[in-house]
Amino acid sequence: MAERPRDPNTEEMAALPAPAPAGEDPTFAELLALRRQLTMDPAAGLMMEGVALAAIARAHGTPTWVYSAGTLRRRLGLLQGALDDARAKAQVHFAVKANPNLAVLRTLAEAGAGADVVSEGELRLARAAGIAADHIVFSGVGKTLAEIRYALAEGIQQINAESAEEVEMISAIATAMGVEAPVALRVNPDVDAKTHAKITTGKSENKFGIAIGDAPALYARMASLPGIRPVGVAVHIGSQITAGVSAYRIAYGHLADLVRALRAQGLPVERVDCGGGLGIPYRDEPPPAPAALAGAIAATLGNLGVELMVEPGRWISGPAGVLLASVILQKTGAERRFVVVDAAMNDLVRPAMYDAWHGIVPVSPADYVAPIAPCDVVGPICETGDTFTRNRGLPSLDPGSLVAFLDAGAYGASMSSTYNSRPLAAEILVDGDRFAVVRERQTQEALLAGQKLPSWLAGAT
């Protein structure tokens, strides 16, 4: 029997350095100690698994996303193992929105993950990655008619409906197609997950799901409609949840009460979709471990005799990725030093959008041990918001020096854009001592492709 991966949130913690004092950023060594896929080689510099990041930069340039296949597999295995140990065995559906790279999805599919999708595009990617249709859940508050038709034609495992109006849409489409749609009802339990306001999804003022008090009547309505087979209930209370698992326990407790109430009405409930949202430590915050989440599921839902599902995204892929960037120049301003890199907010928007903190580590072994001083790390985009961090301790960095933005494997490339007409960055997958391009860098020509001049401007040059 293969050895189960160790959980970095449990037994490995004893070997780690003490957390940085309150208000102080962790050191480079402390950041790497928590990320076992990254090591500093005294000759080759920062390594991901067995590959030098400097070698990737020489071969493919920057900015470039780099993903660790070993980390993807390991973290999926940790979550699956925690669920099994808690006797809360559940299907794991990776949230494709976190990282829709085809090679990432194939790596997870080969390790047993299904997919949680929120668009036709994500569904097509999941299928192209080899994920079986009956291992795909379609979530999202605004599915179009075309998307529902496509999902039903593919024969996916279930659609998570989020409104009475959507339920009626699904019924009409399925009836016209002559198929039966497996539908779970997503409920909003009005639980505050204590996460960023822009990524909380389980409070009553959020746009997601059905108010839990309205769910019994709507579930009964689903059971009476043609073309719909009610299969269960679903919940998702937010993303990057790090304030313990109490919010999960409360939400899942409400869900368990709902299942019992539905069954008391004679309504069938086969499945409970527990959602995702488990957070990761970007800085030095202690997130809940997978075992804690599994325990919350087992304690509240484990005795209901239902199929269980979870939909992690960030927890699996976030730590697996870095954004590799080159220093363009250092600029000494009137009040501070600016390190200008060739990555920008169009690549990694999280700091600008969420005030998110990402570790930044020099790639060169000499830079890694050089004295540090405060600086602002910024990109070249014409926005003041194109700032990755302020007053971060970094060494003096010459033009061409490399830095790695840590924990960029979730909501990094998937949220990038071509703002300021900047091509999308390349994506690389590392697996042991080998690496390959898994998405080519967008060319300048590709940025123009598809644009056309109207006839009255045909003579323009």
Side-chain angles (χ1 to χ4, degrees), residues 1 3 37 41 59-60 128 142 153 172 176 182 219 223 303 334 352 362-363 402 406 423:
M1 182 176 180
E3 181 183 357
Q37 72 277 15
D41 184 275
H60 300 290
Y219 200 90
N303 63 352
V363 171
L402 297 171
L406 307 185

Side-chain angles (χ1 to χ4, degrees), residues 28 39-47 54 362-370 395 402:
F28 300 148
T39 55
M40 178 55 68
D41 184 275
L46 190 60
M47 308 281 291
V363 171
S364 160
D367 291 339
Y368 182 79
V369 298
L402 297 171

Side-chain angles (χ1 to χ4, degrees), residues 59-124:
H60 300 290
T62 57
T64 296
W65 306 95
V66 188
Y67 309 123
S68 161
T71 303
L72 293 169
R73 298 187 192 102
R74 178 170 58 86
R75 292 183 73 83
L76 175 61
L78 287 171
L79 179 57
Q80 290 170 326
L83 291 164
D84 290 347
D85 288 347
R87 297 185 178 179
K89 189 174 180 61
Q91 299 175 26
V92 178
H93 295 81
F94 177 69
V96 174
K97 60 182 176 289
N99 191 319
N101 182 275
L102 193 63
V104 167
L105 298 179
R106 176 63 68 86
T107 299
L108 293 172
E110 289 182 348
D116 170 62
V117 304
V118 295
S119 70
E120 180 180 334
E122 288 188 355
L123 174 52
R124 288 180 180 272

Side-chain angles (χ1 to χ4, degrees), residues 199-221:
I199 51 176
T200 187
T201 60
K203 297 172 68 177
S204 60
E205 66 263 31
N206 299 141
K207 67 181 181 180
F208 300 96
I210 304 293
I212 197 161
D214 297 335
L218 183 54
Y219 200 90
R221 170 67 175 161

Side-chain angles (χ1 to χ4, degrees), residues 45-364:
L46 190 60
M47 308 281 291
M48 177 177 278
E49 299 190 29
V51 176
L53 292 178
I56 291 176
R58 286 193 298 270
H60 300 290
T62 57
T64 296
W65 306 95
V66 188
Y67 309 123
S68 161
T71 303
L72 293 169
R73 298 187 192 102
R74 178 170 58 86
R75 292 183 73 83
L76 175 61
L78 287 171
L79 179 57
Q80 290 170 326
L83 291 164
D84 290 347
D85 288 347
R87 297 185 178 179
K89 189 174 180 61
Q91 299 175 26
V92 178
H93 295 81
F94 177 69
V96 174
K97 60 182 176 289
N99 191 319
N101 182 275
L102 193 63
V104 167
L105 298 179
R106 176 63 68 86
T107 299
L108 293 172
E110 289 182 348
D116 170 62
V117 304
V118 295
S119 70
E120 180 180 334
E122 288 188 355
L123 174 52
R124 288 180 180 272
L125 276 167
R127 297 292 286 124
I131 299 175
D134 62 2
H135 208 11
I136 296 175
V137 174
F138 200 144
S139 303
V141 72
K143 308 174 194 72
T144 66
L145 298 174
E147 287 178 324
I148 294 170
R149 288 191 193 97
Y150 184 75
L152 293 177
E154 284 290 293
I156 68 168
Q157 186 173 14
Q158 75 183 38
I159 297 175
N160 288 348
E162 303 214 15
S163 66
E165 293 80 2
E166 184 183 356
V167 167
E168 300 291 339
M169 287 170 55
I170 296 170
S171 173
I173 293 168
T175 301
M177 293 175 64
V179 300
E180 190 175 57
V183 179
L185 189 61
R186 176 173 175 176
V187 300
N188 186 319
D190 194 21
V191 171
D192 187 356
K194 305 297 183 184
T195 187
H196 194 286
K198 292 183 179 179
I199 51 176
T200 187
T201 60
K203 297 172 68 177
S204 60
E205 66 263 31
N206 299 141
K207 67 181 181 180
F208 300 96
I210 304 293
I212 197 161
D214 297 335
L218 183 54
Y219 200 90
R221 170 67 175 161
M222 284 169 49
S224 70
L225 286 172
I228 287 186
R229 178 170 66 89
V231 295
V233 291
V235 71
H236 180 70
I237 60 174
S239 185
Q240 184 53 12
I241 298 172
T242 59
V245 297
S246 59
Y248 284 119
R249 282 183 174 267
I250 294 169
Y252 296 157
H254 292 332
L255 216 57
D257 290 341
L258 175 61
V259 170
R260 295 185 186 100
L262 294 175
R263 285 176 169 171
Q265 296 179 44
L267 298 168
V269 182
E270 304 169 21
R271 303 173 190 154
V272 172
D273 187 338
C274 300
L278 197 65
I280 63 172
Y282 284 98
R283 189 176 180 269
D284 54 5
E285 59 272 36
L293 174 64
I297 293 172
T300 52
L301 301 166
N303 63 352
L304 293 178
V306 292
E307 297 177 28
L308 296 169
M309 303 174 174
V310 291
E311 298 167 357
R314 183 195 315 267
W315 196 87
I316 289 176
S317 68
V322 302
L323 175 59
L324 192 57
S326 298
V327 173
I328 298 174
L329 54 85
Q330 286 193 129
K331 173 183 175 181
T332 304
E335 299 182 357
R336 61 189 67 216
R337 171 173 65 115
F338 296 94
V339 175
V340 185
V341 297
D342 62 356
M345 64 185 288
N346 76 292
D347 301 301
L348 181 61
V349 75
R350 295 190 70 256
M353 181 176 289
Y354 304 125
D355 296 319
W357 196 98
H358 283 265
I360 304 173
V361 176
V363 171
S364 160

